[in-house]
Amino acid sequence: MSTGSENAFANRHERLAGFPIAVGSWAIDFWDMLITWITALGDIVVFGGRTMSWLVSRLPQRETILPNFYQIGVLSLPVVALTGTFIGMVLAVQSYSQFRVVNLETRLGAIINMSLVRELGPVLAATMLAGRVGSAMAAELGTMRVTEQIDALSSMGANPIQYLVVPRFLGCLVLIPTLTIMADFMGVVGGWFYSVYRLGIDNHHYWENSQKFVGAFDLFGGVFKSLFFGAAIALISCHRGFHCDPGAEGVGRAAYSAFVNSFVVILMLDLTLGIALDSLYLYLWPQGASFI
Amino acid sequence: MMNARTFVGCSASTGTRSLARTKFVGCSASTDGSNAHVCSEISVSSPSAKSADARAPLVQVRGLYVQFGRQKVLRNIRLDVPKGQTLALIGESGCGKTVLLKSIIGLVHPTAGQVLFDGVDLSHMSDKELTRQRIRFGFLFQQAALFDSMNVAQNVSFPLRQHTHKTPEEIHEIVLSRLAEVGLPESVLTKKPAELSGGMRKRVGLARALALDPEIMLYDEPTTGLDPIMSDVINELIVRTRKRYLVTSIVVTHDMNTARKVGDRAVMLYPLVRLSADEPQIIFDSVPTELADCSDRRVSQFVNGEAGERLMEMREAAETSGLWSARSRL
Ligand SMILES: Nc1ncnc2c1ncn2[C@@H]1O[C@H](COP(=O)(O)OP(=O)(O)OP(=O)(O)O)[C@@H](O)[C@H]1O
Ligand SMILES: [Mg+2]
């Protein structure tokens, strides 16, 4: 068939020319991605600024706040508690074998509780919040965007940021400390339970060591960090929802990209805030404290 | 059944509404160089002191361009809508009617040009000022855009709860009368939008848009998806709404009955892709009765619903694209 062979020829021709073109298009894709990221970053900053300005100028109505607080504060607690407990126990399992070699099993309390209160509690609570609440917010707002409900809000003189974003932002900001403390507490309980009852570490020494090394500053630092995580989760997720692409696929993408972006930002914030808090700690207590 | 409606006092709008009772009647058709009919608004009644104020167009679209990515949708649109006029906006599917309507209320940002509402440009307003101006609008969305987390009563009462200090009883009263006007029974009050038919959703959307007694109503295809009788009920409602106080309306419609019945003026948009660079996008602008015997083929074909050579064009296009897909499959 003449058309068939003609086409095969055209195809091969295309494949030969394909490589430089493919490289070029990768470069263009990468460039596009970079531009998208930078614009998104700028966008989120503007978005956050507008949220703040509504937050300070007019508090949202109670009927919009309460359901969000319930979603974030009450419904997320069990899952945070459960995962917190497991993280505490896993920490005990993993550190025990290392510490036993140098006969420092009783220091387990210090290392477990320190890691939990400083790092794992806040990050775990934030991750659960991003996964459970953040992606749901992005999907919900995304659906509202796609079905023009956000436009409808604007057309009726209700500002979508004030009506939709501010209550969610407030909910995340106010309630993430409780989630963090819950994760801390359950982690500490889980770690203690496993160390004392399964690994047979002495209860008294476990707590004594823990008390010596873990102070109020660590707890405060963790909760302080979590405030930033909560704000980031709310802003990123709402922003993803507001800029949702049309269709079911767009809503799906908004949901997962809300989680992925939030998680990346949580870890980046964790690093920077961790460094900042550490310098503050050394500034306040120059002699510091060490485990060993 | 249709009891007298309570006026909702949102202080921003009642003032202007009571000012003007001047009546605008239609437009006279004239032809300029390009074969588009151009409208000139004539105020015929009551040369009162207030008529000068009333004559100032409420909406002024000035050299509006809208573009999405590479797709140009609107090009150099100029349109003045005086207070109290009901403008029927027609044009084939995809020509940009919804986009024009959304740019008037500021939901779509123009690529170039501006839209003035009551003399001010909405796109240069702060969030808070924009909120105040938007209370003066009522917008019926093409897909109704009801809040799906709320039931019908909460949807219709939403603007009232946001912007007035009425008691729940008063609000309930207003909601009931608004729903009655669009022919919906009390039993729908507690239903969620997902439990309604398409036509019912549309009518709930209309009730919600009218809840605050807006100064300007933008209807996006108010009768699409309704049966003929309900369509006429809605047409009547639009006419009555307009008569009750000097409400300005823009009605996007594919329904020639609606255009003729409610419109003082008809404007037809033409899709940019089928226009050459120097042709105006508004190909008709006159009283609706002129629509039928317009010399422009594009207008008369649209009005009479004749596919004409479009059928041939589309068949050719389908054949070429069919050829393409057949070839690429090999
Ligand atoms: N948000 C958007 N992003 C990209 N393109 C858009 C957007 N909104 C509209 N368009 C494009 O603009 C064009 C005009 O759309 P519009 O909705 O105004 O058509 P319409 O005249 O209202 O048609 P219909 O009578 O079918 O409702 C379409 O080709 C559409 O693809
Ligand atoms: Mg449309």
Side-chain angles (χ1 to χ4, degrees):
Chain A
M1 267 182 157
S2 68
T3 44
S5 56
E6 203 181 292
N7 235 288
F9 174 74
N11 267 344
R12 205 178 62 216
H13 190 70
E14 215 167 71
R15 238 179 281 142
L16 285 177
F19 185 67
I21 291 176
V23 171
S25 78
W26 287 336
I28 290 172
D29 281 355
F30 182 75
W31 180 246
D32 279 355
M33 210 175 72
L34 203 69
I35 297 281
T36 319
W37 265 81
I38 293 171
T39 27
L41 192 70
D43 241 30
I44 286 192
V45 171
V46 174
F47 193 76
R50 289 174 63 193
T51 307
M52 292 300 170
S53 95
W54 277 105
L55 186 64
V56 294
S57 69
R58 182 144 58 111
L59 272 185
Q61 291 139 330
R62 215 173 44 172
E63 63 186 55
T64 65
I65 288 196
L66 283 182
N68 284 302
F69 273 42
Y70 183 69
Q71 264 293 327
I72 298 163
V74 181
L75 297 182
S76 307
L77 267 185
V79 71
V80 167
L82 189 72
T83 44
T85 317
F86 278 105
I87 286 284
M89 297 203 281
V90 167
L91 269 180
V93 175
Q94 296 294 348
S95 356
Y96 179 67
S97 53
Q98 304 291 318
F99 276 61
R100 198 185 41 182
V101 179
V102 282
N103 281 329
L104 284 172
E105 298 102 298
T106 48
R107 299 281 165 92
L108 226 51
I111 184 72
I112 292 175
N113 294 348
M114 177 72 101
S115 337
L116 275 169
V117 168
R118 275 195 170 189
E119 282 302 325
L120 289 171
V123 171
L124 186 75
T127 311
M128 292 322 282
L129 190 70
R132 203 189 159 280
V133 175
S135 48
M137 290 196 304
E140 191 187 351
L141 297 189
T143 308
M144 290 186 76
R145 159 67 69 208
V146 170
T147 55
E148 294 184 315
Q149 292 177 53
I150 293 184
D151 282 349
L153 267 180
S154 317
S155 81
M156 283 184 281
N159 186 285
I161 295 215
Q162 195 243 336
Y163 191 78
L164 297 172
V165 181
V166 169
R168 287 169 172 77
F169 180 79
L170 263 184
C172 286
L173 195 69
V174 172
L175 293 173
I176 200 173
T178 35
L179 295 181
T180 303
I181 289 172
M182 185 62 160
D184 288 352
F185 177 74
M186 291 310 287
V188 167
V189 169
W192 162 78
F193 174 82
Y194 200 86
S195 309
V196 173
Y197 291 96
R198 299 285 310 154
L199 304 174
I201 296 166
D202 179 55
N203 192 21
H204 174 75
H205 285 114
Y206 185 87
W207 286 115
E208 194 189 38
N209 272 313
S210 171
Q211 229 171 29
K212 216 166 12 181
F213 292 109
V214 186
F217 184 85
D218 301 301
L219 187 67
F220 160 80
V223 171
F224 177 75
K225 282 198 294 193
S226 77
L227 289 174
F228 288 83
F229 300 160
I233 292 167
L235 287 181
I236 290 171
S237 307
C238 291
H239 179 264
R240 290 284 93 194
F242 265 54
H243 295 266
C244 176
D245 291 333
E249 202 189 331
V251 175
R253 195 163 39 232
Y256 77 67
S257 72
F259 177 73
V260 172
N261 291 344
S262 301
F263 193 51
V264 171
V265 169
I266 287 167
L267 294 182
M268 285 180 352
L269 279 175
D270 192 36
L271 179 65
T272 36
L273 290 171
I275 294 170
L277 284 171
D278 216 44
S279 341
L280 181 64
Y281 186 82
L282 281 180
Y283 175 73
L284 292 177
W285 295 279
Q287 69 278 22
S290 79
F291 284 129
I292 303 168
Chain B
M1 179 181 124
M2 310 278 180
N3 47 349
R5 281 184 357 197
T6 7
F7 263 75
V8 178
C10 46
S11 54
S13 53
T14 33
T16 18
R17 191 177 300 146
S18 55
L19 269 182
R21 288 286 167 203
T22 331
K23 203 176 173 198
F24 278 92
V25 174
C27 326
S28 68
S30 63
T31 340
D32 71 355
S34 67
N35 59 8
H37 299 258
V38 171
C39 178
S40 55
E41 295 85 22
I42 315 166
S43 137
V44 284
S45 64
S46 76
S48 72
K50 281 157 189 166
S51 71
D53 167 51
R55 197 183 308 163
L58 189 61
V59 173
Q60 290 167 275
V61 180
R62 290 187 179 164
L64 180 74
Y65 288 75
V66 174
Q67 187 169 352
F68 295 106
R70 295 219 174 83
Q71 185 193 8
K72 295 191 169 82
V73 179
L74 296 177
R75 182 179 72 198
N76 200 13
I77 302 287
R78 307 179 152 277
L79 194 67
D80 283 357
V81 187
K83 278 200 180 104
Q85 189 174 63
T86 302
L87 184 149
L89 185 62
I90 60 174
E92 64 185 69
S93 187
C95 69
K97 305 181 295 295
T98 302
V99 171
L100 178 56
L101 223 50
K102 283 191 177 169
S103 13
I104 288 174
I105 197 177
L107 289 174
V108 166
H109 296 291
T111 313
Q114 49 181 189
V115 177
L116 302 184
F117 174 68
D118 216 359
V120 283
D121 190 345
L122 289 183
S123 62
H124 291 139
M125 259 178 207
S126 71
D127 276 2
K128 276 142 220 175
E129 180 61 25
L130 197 59
T131 304
R132 256 195 299 285
Q133 291 300 325
R134 290 247 177 86
I135 303 174
R136 303 168 67 185
F137 281 89
F139 195 113
L140 169 64
F141 284 82
Q142 193 167 353
Q143 254 79 38
L146 302 180
F147 302 126
D148 48 23
S149 59
M150 303 180 190
N151 64 22
V152 169
Q154 288 164 333
N155 261 290
V156 178
S157 62
F158 182 85
L160 297 165
R161 283 182 282 131
Q162 285 288 310
H163 301 296
T164 66
H165 297 290
K166 294 190 175 301
T167 63
E169 291 75 37
E170 286 171 312
I171 288 180
H172 184 72
E173 195 91 330
I174 297 172
V175 169
L176 277 185
S177 73
R178 289 299 138 99
L179 285 175
E181 278 177 334
V182 296
L184 288 172
E186 203 177 328
S187 60
V188 299
L189 276 180
T190 53
K191 289 200 168 172
K192 286 280 177 75
E195 299 162 332
L196 301 177
S197 77
M200 289 163 94
R201 255 177 250 160
K202 194 97 200 214
R203 286 182 281 156
V204 174
L206 187 54
R208 183 178 71 177
L210 287 168
L212 274 180
D213 286 316
E215 270 173 80
I216 172 167
M217 270 300 300
L218 308 175
Y219 305 88
D220 201 346
E221 307 197 6
T223 57
T224 307
L226 301 184
D227 62 80
I229 295 175
M230 215 21 96
S231 298
D232 207 48
V233 170
I234 299 302
N235 289 344
E236 281 295 330
L237 175 65
I238 296 175
V239 172
R240 248 183 314 126
T241 309
R242 178 258 155 99
K243 273 190 192 142
R244 192 164 31 224
Y245 42 84
L246 198 75
V247 76
T248 312
S249 323
I250 301 179
V251 187
V252 168
T253 184
H254 290 298
D255 184 347
M256 286 308 133
N257 281 332
T258 305
R260 287 202 196 91
K261 187 154 186 177
V262 307
D264 306 326
R265 173 184 176 191
V267 167
M268 180 162 169
L269 280 184
Y270 205 65
L272 264 192
V273 282
R274 292 200 277 112
L275 284 176
S276 63
D278 53 347
E279 281 175 299
Q281 198 177 2
I282 294 181
I283 59 169
F284 180 89
D285 186 350
S286 176
V287 283
T289 43
E290 295 274 320
L291 275 170
D293 36 42
C294 179
S295 55
D296 193 329
R297 289 278 313 279
R298 299 172 296 185
V299 177
S300 56
Q301 276 179 357
F302 184 84
V303 171
N304 300 322
E306 295 159 358
E309 56 263 31
R310 274 304 296 286
L311 210 56
M312 286 303 293
E313 277 173 34
M314 283 165 65
R315 204 168 284 155
E316 272 168 29
E319 268 163 20
T320 26
S321 68
L323 207 67
W324 271 106
S325 57
R327 284 187 63 181
S328 55
R329 233 180 286 130
L330 281 173

